[in-house]
Amino acid sequence: MTGDLVVPDAALGVVVFVHGSGSSRHSPRNRYVAGALNEGGLGTLLFDLLTPEEEFDRANVFDIELLAGRLLERTARVREQPETAGLPIGYFGASTGAAAALWAAAEPGNEVAAIVSRGGRPDLAGDRLAAVRAPTLLIVGGRDPVVVALNKEAQRRLRAENRIVVVPGATHLFEEPGALDAVADHAREWFVTHFRAVRPASK
C-alpha cells in the first residue's frame, strides 16, 4: 500500500483520499483535487487500498469492510508520522471509496474531523451511516440521477452534520468543464472549516 503524502507548511490538517473501484492513487481526478487542497494549506495522502494481486479479484474492489480496514490501518500510520502527528484527519472518498470512508469513520475511537464524498456510494456503508460522527459533505453531479437518489437516501440515515451539493451539468466522473473545480472548491471549504473548528488555537 504505497502512498504519496504532501504536507504544506503550517497545514491545518491532512486529508486521506479513498479511491473508488477501478481506480488507484494515480487517479487524475483525485490528484487534481489533492493539489487544490494543498494550495489551500491542507495536507493530503493518496494511497492504494489493494495490492495489484488483490485487484485481480473484483470482489475485493467492492468489499467495503476490507477497504475500510485498510483505511483504518493507514489512518493509524498517519497519526504516527512526525509531520502529521496531532493534525486533524479528514477523508475524501470517491465512488465505493466514499462508503469505505464512512464505514471507517464510524469505527469507535477513530476521530475524523470531516468527510467529503465525490460521486460516492455512501449507501454501501449500510447501517454504519447512523454511527458516523464526522461532518459529511456529499457532492454529486446533476446529470447523475441514480447516484443523486442514492446519496439523498444515505443522507436520511446520517445523524452527523451533513449536506448535499449538486454540481449542475456534471456527470458521474465530473469531466465537464469546471465540474472538478467546483468539487475542489467545495471540498476545500468543508475541510478548512471543520479542521479549524477542532483546532481553534492551531497555527
Side-chain angles (χ1 to χ4, degrees), residues 147-168:
V147 173
V148 170
L150 291 170
N151 274 256
K152 288 183 176 178
E153 176 58 32
Q155 185 185 33
R156 286 191 280 271
R157 303 173 70 181
L158 285 167
R159 296 177 181 172
E161 175 190 350
N162 63 82
R163 182 159 62 95
I164 283 185
V165 169
V166 178
V167 178

Side-chain angles (χ1 to χ4, degrees), residues 25 29 60 80 201:
R25 75 181 192 280
R29 287 172 290 278
N60 289 329
E80 294 169 355

Side-chain angles (χ1 to χ4, degrees), residues 82-102:
E83 63 267 50
T84 53
L87 290 177
I89 290 178
Y91 291 155
F92 182 97
S95 190
T96 53
L102 288 159

Side-chain angles (χ1 to χ4, degrees), residues 1 16-23 47-51 54-55 57-75 91 94-105 110 121 124:
M1 288 187 291
V16 180
F17 279 69
V18 196
H19 60 77
S21 57
S23 188
F47 76 104
D48 292 330
L49 290 160
L50 300 171
T51 66
E54 289 171 333
E55 289 176 352
D57 184 349
R58 291 293 292 173
N60 289 329
V61 175
F62 293 94
D63 187 336
I64 305 303
E65 185 173 4
L66 170 65
L67 302 179
R70 296 288 172 84
L71 175 57
L72 287 166
E73 292 172 6
R74 187 49 64 98
T75 302
Y91 291 155
S95 190
T96 53
L102 288 159
W103 185 296
N110 183 30
R121 289 293 309 278
L124 295 178

